[in-house]
Amino acid sequence: MEKVLGIGGLFFRSKDPAGLATWYRDHLGIDLVPETYEEQPWQQQAGPTVFAPFQQTTDYFRNPEKQWMINFRVASLDAIVTQLSDTGIEVEVDPESQPNGRFARLVDPEGNPIELWEELKTG
């Protein structure tokens, strides 16, 4: 069976696409979509990606009106939480580490849920 190689993009509706893209660039370091084919898009580091449909009634996304949540891998959860908090963005850090790492939650300016994940370092 031929399989997909990975996620090539995440596309979603926004009330203010340019403003939201700028927020993601300024606070999470995600480059804006290139204006030409000569420019390179944002490159993510190779690593695990979980593709997980949830039950329609899940409370994991916290807001029942939201249909998706994105999880970003981070090198240092403490550093990015401090960086975000210093700009006035509220971040909720899970006080318990999980077997696969540490997590924190925030929302973007349009209320979309974001999860930050610092992978458990082994070895």
Side-chain angles (χ1 to χ4, degrees), residues 2 106 109:
E2 187 69 20
L106 64 144

Side-chain angles (χ1 to χ4, degrees), residues 29-31 40-46:
I30 298 172
D31 296 335
Q40 291 296 310
W42 174 63
Q43 298 285 317
Q44 64 176 323
Q45 276 187 4

Side-chain angles (χ1 to χ4, degrees), residues 108-119:
D108 72 18
E110 295 192 8
N112 297 308
I114 299 169
E115 187 172 63
L116 303 174
W117 170 33
E118 179 183 12
E119 278 186 87

Side-chain angles (χ1 to χ4, degrees), residues 32-122:
L32 300 176
V33 174
E35 294 184 16
T36 70
Y37 286 104
E38 287 73 39
E39 298 174 73
Q40 291 296 310
W42 174 63
Q43 298 285 317
Q44 64 176 323
Q45 276 187 4
T49 301
V50 176
F51 184 84
F54 278 68
Q55 288 290 328
Q56 184 68 33
T57 57
T58 187
D59 62 353
Y60 195 70
F61 302 173
R62 308 251 169 95
N63 182 340
E65 296 174 7
K66 298 300 178 180
Q67 296 298 309
W68 61 275
M69 178 182 72
I70 190 160
N71 171 293
F72 291 113
R73 287 179 276 112
V74 300
S76 170
L77 190 65
D78 293 331
I80 198 162
V81 166
T82 298
Q83 174 183 300
L84 293 165
S85 296
D86 285 351
T87 64
I89 296 171
E90 186 176 325
V91 183
E92 180 183 329
V93 178
D94 186 336
E96 294 185 34
S97 291
Q98 303 301 318
N100 59 338
R102 298 174 55 221
F103 295 87
R105 296 278 189 92
L106 64 144
V107 296
D108 72 18
E110 295 192 8
N112 297 308
I114 299 169
E115 187 172 63
L116 303 174
W117 170 33
E118 179 183 12
E119 278 186 87
L120 178 65
K121 293 171 181 62
T122 58

Side-chain angles (χ1 to χ4, degrees), residues 2-31:
E2 187 69 20
K3 296 181 181 181
V4 299
L5 302 175
I7 296 172
L10 174 65
F11 309 99
F12 56 99
R13 291 181 170 91
S14 170
K15 295 172 188 154
D16 177 12
L20 194 58
T22 299
W23 184 90
Y24 275 88
R25 181 198 62 202
D26 293 350
H27 296 288
L28 298 176
I30 298 172
D31 296 335

